[in-house]
């Protein structure tokens, strides 16, 4: 791997600076990039490196050339003239001419081999693969640190929103208390359409798939697995802990009904599929679930496929990061930004990469991830009760016996069958207490079926 100074020798005049090739001089060697996977993200990065080449070079001081692409099949959308194309993707990883390997095939099997082999070959890696990092990031970063190479992953979380750089660099002076993110565009698109247009869940999901937002397996989006992958990464960066995807609590949005969306609205809340990581005295909460949030919060108004992450840290206070979380352009923006970072380091006298997980590897903490039963939060409860005197008194008695305070109560008119929907909002309580209260309420003769429970967060400082 070649390191050393790489200065721009001369720049063209200002009038043409945005689209003219920059002359770096003969002594500055271009950096060679190999892209593994030519789907939406790989193709987007390929086009972006070409379309914005001059502007990017002005930032790096060096030319970046995509010299080798690994793709199992042709993609006529991209003009690969002059680029070596291999059907066998490991050929890219083993190409001695390639300095940086961009892994954008996704998944955790071949992608893992690609990344580990690239590291073993002494190449830097740029990846958009949140599942790979959430599940195998600890071993990947350890291998990279041992080899003295870097694995950059801005595109793995929130697409074009530079949240990795924010947590790792922009907020480096702060103690982060919690973060809450809308980090799956497909889920947010579905919830937005359900609320605004009263559309059916599966109808909207189909449209999201057609628009190219959804993961190959849409259960990753709607069951919160994709968000949990991303949250796992954010939590490690925020708190300096190892990646622990298996300990994340994950609950999807498939059981949400139109009724709950509109009752929440009547009470002044929106339902969002949030990833929440919070540091409390006993450990760290790491959870993805539908969440009521006050409609006045900026993040409650993040709609459609957009992503947003709200970070509460000290001393800066609350900061919010918003933008496109999926799609070719936004994700390529993040991939190419990582390439630029690596190229700048390659061109420095001595490399000084930011630690992979924001904190120095020997300063990673073993703070425990809390089981869900220990999490403290407020609740929205929807009960279906027989329309008889005393039912509500029984319900409130069960709550008060457990020290659970009611914040608001809403009873809707009786159904023809003589049952009434009752909606309760509670003050914060430990999940274990709430589980017991729900079991006791469901055991009442006049409570019909299961109680719907949605967690509620005020997201205030
Ligand atoms: N399926 C993901 C989403 C794509 O909808 O946000 C970006 O990770």
């Amino acid at each position: 791997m070649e390191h050393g100074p790489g200065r721009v020798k001369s720049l063209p005049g200002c009038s043409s600076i945005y689209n003219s090739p920059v002359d770096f001089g003969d002594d500055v060697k271009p950096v060679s990039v190999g892209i593994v996977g030519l789907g939406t993200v790989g193709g987007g990065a390929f086009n972006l490196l070409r379309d914005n080449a001059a502007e990017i070079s002005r930032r790096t001081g060096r030319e970046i050339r995509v010299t080798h692409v690994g793709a199992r099949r042709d993609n006529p959308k991209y003009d690969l003239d002059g680029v070596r194309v291999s059907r066998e993707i490991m050929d890219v990883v083993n190409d001695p001419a390639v300095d940086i390997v961009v892994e954008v095939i996704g998944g955790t099997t071949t992608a893992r081999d690609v990344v580990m082999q690239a590291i073993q070959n002494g190449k830097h890696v740029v990846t958009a693969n949140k599942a790979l990092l959430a599940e195998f990031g600890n071993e990947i970063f350890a291998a990279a640190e041992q080899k003295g190479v870097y694995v950059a992953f801005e595109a793995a979380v929130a697409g074009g929103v530079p949240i990795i750089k924010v947590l790792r660099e922009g907020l480096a002076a702060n103690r982060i208390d919690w973060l809450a993110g809308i980090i799956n565009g497909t889920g947010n698109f579905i919830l937005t359409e359900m609320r605004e247009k009263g559309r059916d869940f599966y109808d909207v999901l189909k449209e999201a798939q057609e628009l190219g937002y959804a993961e190959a397996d849409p259960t990753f989006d709607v069951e919160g697995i994709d968000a949990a992958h991303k949250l796992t990464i954010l939590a490690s960066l925020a708190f300096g802990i190892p990646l622990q995807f298996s300990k994340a609590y994950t609950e999807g949005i498939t059981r949400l009904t139109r009724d709950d969306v509109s009752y929440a609205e009547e009470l002044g809340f929106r339902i969002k599929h949030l990833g929440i990581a919070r540091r409390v005295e006993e450990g760290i909460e790491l959870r993805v679930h539908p969440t009521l949030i006050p409609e006045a919060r900026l993040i409650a108004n993040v709609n459609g496929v957009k992503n947003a992450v709200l970070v509460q840290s000290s001393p800066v206070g609350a900061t919010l990061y918003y933008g496109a979380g999926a799609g070719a352009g936004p994700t390529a923006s993040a991939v190419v930004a990582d390439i630029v970072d690596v190229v700048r380091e390659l061109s420095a006298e001595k490399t000084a990469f930011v630690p992979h997980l924001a904190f120095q590897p020997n300063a990673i903490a073993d703070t425990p991830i809390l089981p869900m039963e220990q999490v403290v939060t407020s609740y929205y409860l929807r009960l279906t009760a027989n329309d008889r005197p005393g039912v509500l008194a029984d319900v409130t008695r069960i709550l008060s016996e457990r020290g659970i305070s009611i914040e608001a109560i809403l009873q809707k008119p009786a159904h023809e069958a003589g049952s009434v929907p009752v909606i309760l909002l509670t003050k914060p309580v430990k999940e274990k207490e709430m589980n017991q209260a729900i079991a006791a309420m469901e055991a009442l003769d006049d409570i019909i079926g299961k109680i719907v429970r949605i967690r509620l967060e005020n997201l205030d400082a």
Side-chain angles (χ1 to χ4, degrees):
M1 188 75 34
E2 172 237 1
H3 293 242
R7 281 181 301 107
V8 176
K9 197 173 184 186
S10 60
L11 286 171
C14 281
S15 58
S16 58
I17 209 163
Y18 296 106
N19 49 19
S20 301
V22 180
D23 174 12
F24 300 107
D26 298 334
D27 53 333
V28 182
K29 192 173 159 263
V31 174
S32 169
V33 171
I35 299 182
V36 179
L38 202 62
T40 307
V41 181
F46 179 81
N47 280 348
L48 182 53
L49 282 166
R50 187 198 52 206
D51 295 347
N52 284 4
E55 193 70 343
I56 291 166
S57 300
R58 289 176 59 221
R59 293 190 163 108
T60 56
R62 278 174 87 167
E63 187 190 348
I64 299 170
R65 281 190 198 153
V66 178
T67 55
H68 200 162
V69 165
R72 295 216 164 107
R73 57 193 78 81
D74 279 333
N75 194 334
K77 279 204 313 212
Y78 305 107
D79 175 11
L80 298 175
D81 202 27
V83 178
R84 184 176 163 200
V85 180
S86 294
R87 293 279 170 253
E88 179 45 66
I89 55 179
M90 278 298 176
D91 288 354
V92 178
V93 178
N94 293 324
D95 179 349
V98 166
D99 301 306
I100 303 171
V101 171
V102 177
E103 180 279 307
V104 275
I105 50 175
T108 54
T109 50
T110 309
R112 187 178 174 194
D113 296 341
V114 163
V115 168
M116 291 305 276
Q117 189 59 48
I119 292 169
Q120 289 318 315
N121 290 350
K123 297 180 194 304
H124 301 280
V125 174
V126 172
T127 177
N129 195 329
K130 55 256 163 167
L132 180 68
L133 295 178
E135 292 181 41
F136 302 105
N138 297 322
E139 74 175 57
I140 289 170
F141 296 142
E145 277 145 21
Q146 219 224 329
K147 268 288 187 180
V149 295
Y150 203 61
V151 178
F153 53 93
E154 184 63 69
V157 183
V161 184
I163 188 66
I164 304 297
K165 201 171 257 297
V166 162
L167 292 175
R168 218 158 35 184
E169 298 177 50
L171 296 178
N174 287 264
R175 178 186 157 93
I176 297 176
D177 298 318
W178 54 261
L179 59 85
I182 296 171
I183 41 180
N184 182 270
T186 302
N188 201 44
F189 179 69
I190 293 172
L191 291 182
T192 304
E193 291 287 304
M194 282 173 75
R195 186 181 69 81
E196 289 182 352
K197 301 182 188 153
R199 289 177 66 188
D200 174 66
F201 177 88
Y202 286 100
D203 170 45
V204 192
L205 173 61
K206 194 163 160 282
E207 186 185 342
Q209 286 175 297
E210 282 160 10
L211 289 167
Y213 302 146
E215 296 296 302
D217 179 351
T219 57
F220 274 41
D221 293 302
V222 297
E223 295 296 357
I225 299 161
D226 176 71
H229 284 143
K230 294 166 180 167
L231 182 71
T232 298
I233 296 171
L234 294 181
S236 288
L237 296 172
F239 307 124
I241 53 171
L243 295 144
Q244 295 165 81
F245 170 69
S246 63
K247 295 193 182 148
Y249 173 82
T250 306
E251 186 180 309
I253 56 172
T254 51
R255 288 191 302 272
L256 281 180
T257 65
R258 262 295 305 156
D259 282 349
D260 291 317
V261 172
S262 83
Y263 295 152
E265 209 159 5
E266 270 186 61
L267 291 159
F269 293 86
R270 298 264 166 92
I271 301 181
K272 292 291 179 189
H273 202 192
L274 287 192
I276 298 170
R278 189 194 310 265
R279 176 166 25 196
V280 295
E281 210 166 296
E282 305 79 28
I284 287 164
E285 299 175 4
L286 192 61
R287 48 193 171 107
V288 174
H289 50 71
T291 314
L292 269 77
I293 49 179
E295 66 189 0
R297 298 272 177 270
L298 277 178
I299 195 169
N301 295 282
V302 169
N303 290 320
V305 75
K306 289 290 196 293
N307 281 198
V309 183
L310 176 60
V311 184
Q312 175 67 36
S313 60
S314 177
V316 70
T319 52
L320 178 67
Y321 309 91
Y322 165 86
T331 313
S333 159
V335 166
V336 173
D338 275 346
I339 295 174
V340 166
D341 269 356
V342 174
V343 170
R344 283 175 173 150
E345 285 298 328
L346 281 177
S347 308
E349 296 283 353
K350 189 171 180 307
T351 52
F353 285 110
V354 183
H356 286 110
L357 291 180
F359 293 72
Q360 296 297 332
N362 62 2
I364 295 295
D366 59 1
T367 320
I369 305 292
L370 295 177
M372 199 57 197
E373 287 215 314
Q374 270 182 261
V375 166
V376 174
T377 182
S378 302
Y379 291 85
Y380 161 105
L381 303 176
R382 176 164 58 82
L383 304 74
T384 306
N386 282 326
D387 193 10
R388 279 218 288 264
V391 182
L392 268 187
D394 287 341
V395 165
T396 53
R397 179 184 46 77
I398 287 171
L399 292 172
S400 72
E401 277 170 3
R402 287 164 178 79
I404 301 173
S405 210
I406 297 171
E407 179 77 32
I409 191 157
L410 175 69
Q411 182 176 325
K412 305 303 288 181
H415 292 147
E416 275 176 26
S419 64
V420 286
V422 177
I423 293 93
L424 294 165
L425 302 186
T426 75
K427 296 221 163 109
V429 52
K430 206 175 253 189
E431 177 114 349
K432 188 176 177 187
E433 304 288 335
M434 182 49 84
N435 289 343
Q436 289 167 357
I438 287 176
M441 289 186 285
E442 285 176 346
L444 292 171
D445 287 343
D446 284 320
I447 295 298
I448 304 162
K450 294 297 239 186
I451 292 173
V452 172
R453 158 242 305 267
I454 308 175
R455 296 170 189 90
L456 183 157
E457 292 285 344
N458 277 307
L459 301 183
D460 45 12

